């Protein structure tokens, strides 16, 4: 039995919504248990500074930020080594989903704020950012869904909490996956795991990402259904 009573293949409760930041070109909120990510997308727009411009493809910039009050012990505000690394990890997980050649000489900025953290923030950030990119109307091959899998107390489980991450011997594996393309875009491994367990964990990640994907698609559809309802009212 897991500390919060979940089954091994059971994710925490998920909520997803798009269009949460009015001034952004696209935005989304993704909540999984007590982890909440809010993503805002700005662009495509001209590249600044201009010398970073790529004549062939888009320049994707990602900024991951964990709020000071998102964790029990107040975190020092501002960027640190971890947030710089996670910004890169998130960018690399999103890029394969974007038709990058559709936007030459352009820049797309993705800002993700973690307003509450209980493990799995990079995955929540990716799931939120992918929805926000779709909401911004960016041409995409697929939506990226992400979740951590791992080994806790010798069991393969999905969506670890901070409490589970802190158990001695836990292995954590954040995964991002494009369900339609059937391609992984992120695979990290923090700890040790036998090859057979990695295979099992990847299968669990795939089926879990497929479930997240349905929730992401529903959130996107809901926004447009609501917009159409409002248009019909006018
Ligand atoms: P992820 O959030 O993607 O699992 P980490 O493994 O780096 O990434 O972090 C695991 C969890 O540890 C975070 O989700 C958060 O709950 C907690 N955490 C990370 N950094 C800090 C920090 N500076 N202060 C307090 N808690 C933190």
């Amino acid at each position: 039995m897991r500390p919060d009573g979940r089954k091994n293949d059971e994710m925490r409760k998920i909520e997803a919504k798009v269009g949460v930041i009015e001034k952004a070109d696209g935005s989304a909120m993704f909540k999984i248990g007590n982890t909440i990510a809010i993503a805002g997308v700005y662009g495509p727009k001209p590249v600044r500074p201009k010398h970073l411009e790529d004549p062939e493809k888009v320049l994707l910039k990602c900024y991951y930020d964990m709020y000071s009050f998102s964790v029990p012990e107040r975190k020092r505000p501002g960027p640190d080594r971890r947030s710089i690394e996670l910004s890169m990890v998130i960018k690399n997980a999103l890029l394969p989903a974007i038709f990058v050649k559709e936007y030459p000489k352009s820049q797309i900025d993705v800002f993700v704020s973690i307003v509450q953290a209980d493990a799995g923030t990079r995955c929540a950030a990716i799931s939120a950012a992918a929805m926000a990119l779709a909401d911004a109307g960016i041409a995409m091959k697929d939506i990226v869904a992400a979740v951590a899998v791992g080994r806790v107390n010798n069991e393969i489980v999905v969506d670890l909490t901070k409490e589970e991450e802190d158990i001695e011997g836990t292995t954590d594996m954040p995964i991002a996956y494009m369900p339609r393309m059937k391609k992984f875009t992120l695979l990290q491994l923090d700890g040790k795991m036998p090859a057979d367990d990695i295979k099992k964990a990847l299968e669990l990640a795939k089926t879990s990402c497929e479930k997240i994907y349905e929730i992401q698609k529903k959130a996107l559809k809901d926004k447009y259904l609501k917009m159409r309802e409002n248009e019909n009212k006018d």
Side-chain angles (χ1 to χ4, degrees):
M1 187 65 109
R2 298 174 68 177
D4 58 6
R6 274 184 295 150
K7 293 187 205 121
N8 291 350
D9 64 352
E10 189 180 342
M11 289 182 282
R12 291 173 285 180
K13 185 169 179 275
I14 298 174
E15 284 170 41
K17 197 174 173 195
V18 293
V20 295
I21 307 171
E22 204 180 311
K23 291 241 166 7
D25 294 309
S27 60
M29 184 279 302
F30 188 87
K31 180 174 192 280
I32 183 159
N34 289 323
T35 293
I36 306 176
I38 294 177
V41 168
Y42 302 84
K45 57 187 184 179
V47 178
R48 294 281 177 269
K50 202 166 170 14
H51 72 266
L52 293 178
E53 198 177 271
D54 189 328
E56 305 267 309
K57 56 183 192 301
V58 74
L59 174 71
L60 181 69
K61 287 198 166 185
C62 288
Y63 304 90
Y64 165 100
D65 181 35
M66 205 161 84
Y67 283 7
S68 299
F69 50 79
S70 63
V71 281
E73 286 264 328
R74 181 183 176 276
K75 177 199 160 282
R76 219 177 136 199
D80 49 25
R81 278 182 58 167
R82 177 177 174 274
S83 66
I84 293 165
E85 188 205 319
L86 290 193
S87 299
M88 184 203 70
V89 162
I90 292 164
K91 173 184 150 171
N92 290 341
L94 294 170
L95 262 178
I98 299 173
F99 281 105
V100 290
K101 293 194 171 161
E102 287 287 314
Y103 308 102
K105 298 182 185 171
S106 305
Q107 168 174 340
I108 299 173
D109 289 341
V110 179
F111 291 89
V112 191
S113 299
I114 304 300
V115 295
Q116 221 173 253
D118 182 9
T121 65
R122 80 195 64 198
C123 292
I126 293 165
S127 298
M131 289 162 69
L133 284 164
D135 183 41
I138 304 299
M140 290 169 80
K141 299 172 201 171
D142 203 353
I143 297 177
V144 188
V147 73
V149 284
R151 204 163 101 129
V152 181
N153 297 328
N154 291 323
E155 297 280 334
I156 302 299
V157 302
V158 68
D159 186 25
L160 287 68
T161 58
K162 179 76 176 133
E163 187 184 354
E164 287 179 304
E165 269 192 4
D166 289 345
I167 294 172
E168 180 86 27
T170 286
T171 300
D172 177 30
M173 222 167 109
I175 302 288
Y177 182 66
M178 296 192 287
R180 208 173 57 85
M181 311 270 297
K182 299 193 190 307
K183 278 193 179 146
F184 290 101
T185 68
L186 167 74
L187 195 162
Q188 292 183 292
L189 180 62
D190 184 9
K192 281 186 184 167
M193 195 140 68
D196 277 353
D197 280 353
I198 290 188
K199 274 190 203 154
K200 218 169 133 185
L202 284 177
E203 274 311 308
L204 179 57
K206 264 194 210 176
T207 51
S208 305
C209 284
E210 279 160 5
K211 289 178 193 163
I212 292 174
Y213 186 60
E214 292 305 318
I215 296 170
Q216 290 171 306
K217 281 196 299 188
K218 185 175 180 306
L220 283 156
K221 265 189 210 152
D222 281 353
K223 179 184 165 183
Y224 290 98
L225 285 176
K226 218 170 256 171
M227 271 169 61
R228 205 184 299 163
E229 261 173 36
N230 288 340
E231 273 168 18
N232 289 342
K233 261 188 225 157
D234 294 339

